[in-house]
Amino acid sequence: MEAISAVMQQMIQKNPRLEQRMKDVQNSLGSRGIECTTTPSEACPKKKCDGSGFLWFIDYHKKMHPEKVAEDIKKHRELYAIAHQAKDEPEMNRIDAIIEDLKKESEWWEKCECYTQKQKEKEIAKKLDLSGIPDIFKGSRLNDFRTDIYQKEEDRTSAKLARKSAANYVANYEQMKAAGKGLYFYSDVKGSGKTRIASSIANALISLYEVNVVFIKAADISLQVRKTFKKNTESSEDEVLRAFREVDVLVIDDFAVENNSDYMEELLTKILDYRMEQKNITLITSNIMQDDIDNLYKAGRVSSRVKKMCYEVIMPEESIRDEEAKRENESLERILFG
């Protein structure tokens, strides 16, 4: 730096007009005040930053006239001493704030408006990863739920009604939450779209309302609890049940396919009873109707709670999984043999 300074001095001595030109540039920049030097980009939803989530500011007055800033600090310290002597606390606070501002760096970062949104998106992505939603359905959206893929007219009608009810549920989630009401998607046929539509609702609730979601196959509930019976386990039975009971939204997939033992009925009763009392949202998919739950869980405690907590939505009695597999295979055949 000293070598550069010496060279500059030599240049100024040889060309006096250069010194004046540098002073003119310095004064010009110093008069610009505070400016944001970050170039806006389409990568920023607010079109303000370059997509990084931060804005770079320069106070040109401070940067170009550090000696004036030093003089201002000295002057305000003298004023502070006078206010202190007069015990004028409001004036002391005002001057102290000015001094602190003068002492700040001439260049600094500030968070762009999109920063909070980016952090929210990261949290949403994290919640999706932790939710247990099957990978194949983590990107599922209600708008992508196709109804034209069903072959029968009555099934297309059922699919349209199911999609409409799901979309309205998401749009009116706060009202549904206040009532403690979830949805129960029923179809006797496997692969009819029950899991897809329940996952789409869960994805939407995470994105729009920032809720926590746990997605679990009904048969895995008892497995998760039984793991706690082993020695040296990190979680207790109560901790596992508490996770199912207290999460904002619990999605139980393939309900009533699990082993309908007395123990399973007891577990479901503990989970559903708490969720019903706290009005926590539960979404269920099943291949049996609500009225037939008592045939599996004889005590009637499970069915009464499910009926209280979930509105039953009838899904098509047609497997779109088979149709999707057929289309995928046809596409693959064109690649392999075309």
Side-chain angles (χ1 to χ4, degrees):
M1 291 296 292
E2 292 181 4
I4 294 174
S5 178
V7 172
M8 289 298 296
Q9 288 298 324
Q10 291 176 10
M11 292 174 64
I12 290 171
Q13 289 175 1
K14 292 180 180 179
N15 187 357
R17 294 179 61 186
L18 177 61
E19 181 179 14
Q20 185 59 46
R21 198 180 307 167
M22 291 177 64
K23 287 182 178 179
D24 290 342
V25 171
Q26 186 178 25
N27 291 332
S28 175
L29 288 172
S31 65
R32 288 167 62 177
I34 298 174
E35 290 186 10
C36 176
T37 62
T38 303
T39 303
S41 166
E42 292 292 328
C44 172
K46 304 294 182 180
K47 306 297 188 295
K48 289 188 174 182
C49 75
D50 55 6
S52 64
F54 292 92
L55 299 167
W56 183 250
F57 286 88
I58 297 179
D59 186 331
Y60 283 101
H61 174 74
K62 285 184 180 181
K63 188 176 181 67
M64 307 311 297
H65 301 294
E67 72 289 344
K68 291 183 180 180
V69 176
E71 289 175 8
D72 285 343
I73 292 175
K74 181 180 179 181
K75 181 183 72 174
H76 281 87
R77 280 176 174 166
E78 291 171 354
L79 293 172
Y80 182 90
I82 295 171
H84 184 269
Q85 189 174 4
K87 297 182 179 179
D88 188 344
E89 197 162 321
E91 181 67 3
M92 289 166 59
N93 291 335
R94 185 186 73 82
I95 296 172
D96 188 55
I98 294 174
I99 293 172
E100 288 302 313
D101 185 63
L102 287 168
K103 288 165 63 177
K104 290 179 180 177
E105 296 290 335
S106 60
E107 300 184 40
W108 68 94
W109 289 106
E110 285 187 12
K111 292 177 181 177
C112 178
E113 290 180 37
C114 74
Y115 177 83
T116 301
Q117 182 175 336
K118 287 179 178 294
Q119 293 302 111
K120 178 181 175 181
E121 289 172 355
K122 289 180 181 178
E123 288 299 315
I124 289 173
K126 183 178 179 182
K127 285 181 178 180
L128 284 171
D129 286 339
L130 296 176
S131 66
I133 295 173
D135 288 342
I136 193 174
F137 295 129
K138 280 186 178 176
S140 296
R141 298 290 180 267
L142 288 171
N143 288 340
D144 300 329
F145 185 80
R146 294 179 57 186
T147 60
D148 60 343
I149 197 170
Y150 296 92
Q151 301 298 305
K152 300 176 182 177
E153 180 61 32
E154 59 266 32
D155 288 329
R156 288 195 291 272
T157 300
S158 296
K160 290 176 183 177
L161 290 173
R163 185 176 65 182
K164 183 176 182 179
S165 67
N168 287 335
Y169 183 89
V170 171
N172 296 280
Y173 173 70
E174 297 292 357
Q175 186 177 345
M176 297 297 157
K177 168 63 179 171
K181 292 293 184 180
L183 296 175
Y184 184 102
F185 293 99
Y186 159 74
S187 172
D188 184 48
V189 175
K190 294 180 180 180
S192 62
K194 299 186 291 291
T195 302
R196 180 188 295 273
I197 201 166
S199 298
S200 298
I201 293 174
N203 289 335
L205 295 181
I206 290 172
S207 299
L208 297 174
Y209 302 97
E210 300 183 58
V211 300
N212 292 311
V213 173
V214 167
F215 184 108
I216 190 166
K217 294 285 185 182
D220 290 338
I221 293 177
S222 62
L223 292 177
Q224 292 294 328
V225 175
R226 290 180 188 277
K227 285 180 182 178
T228 66
F229 299 161
K230 298 179 181 179
K231 293 182 179 180
N232 302 320
T233 184
E234 295 181 358
S235 303
S236 66
E237 177 182 356
D238 186 62
E239 287 174 331
V240 172
L241 286 176
R242 187 163 64 245
F244 293 140
R245 289 195 299 252
E246 297 181 2
V247 69
D248 298 331
V249 177
L250 176 64
V251 183
I252 304 178
D253 193 33
D254 286 339
F255 178 80
V257 174
E258 71 281 358
N259 182 3
N260 56 326
S261 63
D262 291 341
Y263 176 68
M264 188 61 196
E265 184 168 8
E266 181 184 349
L267 286 180
L268 287 172
T269 300
K270 287 180 179 179
I271 294 169
L272 296 177
D273 194 51
Y274 181 92
R275 298 189 65 78
M276 181 179 68
E277 291 176 356
Q278 298 301 316
K279 294 187 176 181
N280 291 339
I281 297 301
T282 306
L283 304 175
I284 297 175
T285 73
S286 181
N287 65 349
I288 68 168
M289 299 188 72
Q290 288 184 350
D291 287 341
D292 294 330
I293 295 176
D294 281 344
N295 294 335
L296 296 175
Y297 300 113
K298 309 293 185 181
R301 294 175 296 175
V302 173
S303 66
S304 63
R305 284 159 177 76
V306 169
K307 289 178 180 179
K308 171 68 176 175
M309 298 166 66
C310 300
Y311 179 83
E312 189 170 45
V313 178
I314 306 300
M315 292 290 291
E317 291 296 341
E318 183 180 331
S319 175
I320 56 171
R321 188 183 300 158
D322 294 341
E323 182 61 26
E324 286 178 338
K326 178 182 176 182
R327 294 188 181 188
E328 288 171 359
N329 288 338
E330 288 175 352
S331 177
L332 185 61
E333 286 175 358
R334 286 194 293 271
I335 295 172
L336 293 175
F337 308 111

